Amino acid sequence: MIDRRRFLAAASLAAGAARGNTARSTPLKADFWGTQYYDDKEQQQLMDVLEARQPFRWYGSGSTPPMKVATFEREFAARMQTRYALAVTSGTAALQCAMAALRIGPGDEVILPAWTWHSCYSAIVLAGALPVFAEIDESFNIDPSDIERRVTPQTKVILAAHLQGNPCDMDRIMPIAAKHGIRVLEDCAQSVGASYKGRPVGSMGDIAIYSLQLNKTITAGEGGAVVTNDPVLFEGASRFHDVGGFRALHEKVAGGHRVNAFAGTNFRMNEFSGGVLLAQLRKLDRIVGDARANARRVYDGIRDLPNLRLRHRPDPGGELGAGIYLGFKSKEQRDRFAGAMKDANVLVAPPVGSVLLPTQEYIEQKRTVHPAWPSFASGRGLSIQYGAACCPRTIDILNRYAGVLIDPKFTRRDTDDIVGAIRSAYPAGSQVL
Ligand SMILES: Cc1ncc(COP(=O)(O)O)c(C=O)c1O
């Protein structure tokens, strides 16, 4: 049986159609960003590596040394306005390098948002430290007002993840960290190219990571990066990613070495990835500009809707425009809106790209590769409880929002369709907040 609101939404859409505003014949869906910009630039980078027969970043045959990854690091640091950048194999690897650089280990606690990606949790656990969840706010990022009550004398790091292109409220997070002598790790995996009050995300905390995997702004399929202004953190990350060693090029960049060797792993990027990422990095501002322009067209087209509630954006000018999220009073209203949008062939979804970590079964069970894992062997580790009870506000927020994902290559017709569908479905499908 069709309920009244659904009926009104459908009627509104029909009225739109009568005005010539017809529903799309095929569903509108955002594609991956970086790969849509692949052209002869990426191709040439790959050809260079093949022709030089130099797939390994540190040495190879030929008269000139391999320089793709090294050049990517130099240009990435410049773009992110940091002194150092380290290229690695993934964002997950980058998080592990950052934990090692920050010397996080057993007995330490790291505060992270309840809504983010698995790797944030696993990097903390694999370091032997204890993850402590904080709630998100209506930006979908960590709620600065919930951080302080999670701080203990063991807290070493706040993991501030800028999710889905939306920067965290760094002006509120940094003073809390400074007050308690805690370091800030910015996770920019989902926000490569975003900024906060004029500063690139990743340039404000002590150390930052990025993902360059397929779903991110620029990509080589897989890839990651670590940036920092601190030569000690840079050396720690570099050593960890390269089985404890500190290569001559990085030592030169850092102006000498300051850290003794320690046990590390191998997260080195290869020259093929470095070349593709170099070509992609040089297009980053174009990709971000295109996405922002499309998002702006949608925001402009709906801003006069009565009672419009958008996801909170601490710096609307700095976000990537990856998703236009609308808030509702209840999950039922949100779902009715999503149904009406589906009827118009413009798909909306609940917040995506992250997971509600505390309710993951393996996290609730505190399951690790070995039963004596240090994270959960201490009194504090044994007593900490995860599960839905530690993040009720996060669950409530995620239940009440839905959004349209934006593609930088959407046409004007596409963004007009999004605007038309929202304008038809929003007032009818909801009693907004
Ligand atoms: C917030 C966040 N951090 C870290 C990562 C890990 O990046 P990767 O997939 O490159 O390992 C992701 C991946 O989606 C992420 O969303």
Side-chain angles (χ1 to χ4, degrees), residues 90-92 95 116-117 119-120 163 187 189-190 211 213 216 223 353:
S90 69
T92 305
L95 279 168
T116 181
W117 189 240
S119 321
C120 301
L163 295 178
D187 180 335
Q190 298 183 16
S211 168
Q213 178 264 348
K216 311 309 185 317

Side-chain angles (χ1 to χ4, degrees), residues 111-115 132-136 142-143 146-147 150 391 394:
I111 298 174
L112 76 166
W115 165 255
V132 176
F133 291 110
E135 300 271 20
I136 62 165
I142 194 165
D143 180 354
D146 194 51
I147 292 175
R150 314 279 178 172
C391 54
T394 299

Side-chain angles (χ1 to χ4, degrees), residues 222-295:
E222 295 276 14
V226 182
V227 300
T228 180
N229 288 317
D230 183 334
V232 172
L233 295 183
F234 174 65
E235 184 172 348
S238 177
R239 284 189 182 279
F240 187 74
H241 108 293
D242 200 4
V243 287
F246 196 43
R247 306 272 179 164
L249 178 106
H250 280 170
E251 187 170 336
K252 190 162 165 240
V253 168
H257 89 88
R258 303 159 180 83
V259 176
N260 290 326
F262 56 84
T265 182
N266 172 5
F267 290 145
R268 293 183 302 251
M269 182 180 282
N270 69 67
E271 288 283 288
F272 291 110
S273 296
V276 170
L277 288 169
L278 189 53
Q280 287 265 286
L281 178 61
R282 291 170 178 169
K283 298 171 183 170
L284 176 61
D285 290 332
R286 175 148 65 94
I287 299 172
V288 171
D290 290 349
R292 281 182 176 154
N294 280 345

Side-chain angles (χ1 to χ4, degrees), residues 225-412:
V226 182
V227 300
T228 180
N229 288 317
D230 183 334
V232 172
L233 295 183
F234 174 65
E235 184 172 348
S238 177
R239 284 189 182 279
F240 187 74
H241 108 293
D242 200 4
V243 287
F246 196 43
R247 306 272 179 164
L249 178 106
H250 280 170
E251 187 170 336
K252 190 162 165 240
V253 168
H257 89 88
R258 303 159 180 83
V259 176
N260 290 326
F262 56 84
T265 182
N266 172 5
F267 290 145
R268 293 183 302 251
M269 182 180 282
N270 69 67
E271 288 283 288
F272 291 110
S273 296
V276 170
L277 288 169
L278 189 53
Q280 287 265 286
L281 178 61
R282 291 170 178 169
K283 298 171 183 170
L284 176 61
D285 290 332
R286 175 148 65 94
I287 299 172
V288 171
D290 290 349
R292 281 182 176 154
N294 280 345
R296 202 174 312 119
R297 280 212 288 271
V298 177
Y299 285 127
D300 286 348
I302 61 173
R303 76 169 73 253
D304 64 323
L305 284 174
N307 300 324
L308 180 69
R309 177 114 183 170
L310 295 170
R311 167 170 61 160
H312 173 58
R313 292 171 297 151
D315 177 10
E319 70 150 351
L320 290 185
I324 312 279
Y325 280 94
L326 309 175
F328 299 84
K329 231 169 33 187
S330 68
K331 181 174 184 306
E332 292 67 35
Q333 288 177 348
R334 190 270 311 265
D335 291 346
R336 269 196 296 272
F337 168 75
M341 292 291 284
K342 192 158 175 256
D343 292 342
N345 255 341
V346 176
L347 300 186
V348 297
V352 290
S354 293
V355 288
L356 189 62
L357 290 170
T359 62
Q360 301 297 302
E361 191 266 347
Y362 77 96
I363 294 177
E364 273 195 82
Q365 299 299 324
K366 304 185 212 171
R367 198 173 301 121
T368 50
V369 296
H370 189 282
W373 204 259
S375 302
F376 304 114
S378 66
R380 172 96 165 117
L382 285 165
S383 66
I384 198 164
Q385 298 279 321
Y386 299 133
C390 75
C391 54
R393 270 198 295 128
T394 299
I395 294 170
D396 174 56
I397 290 166
L398 296 173
N399 277 337
R400 288 188 294 99
Y401 274 84
V404 185
L405 298 184
I406 297 296
D407 187 316
K409 296 274 193 185
F410 274 168
T411 62
R412 187 168 282 276

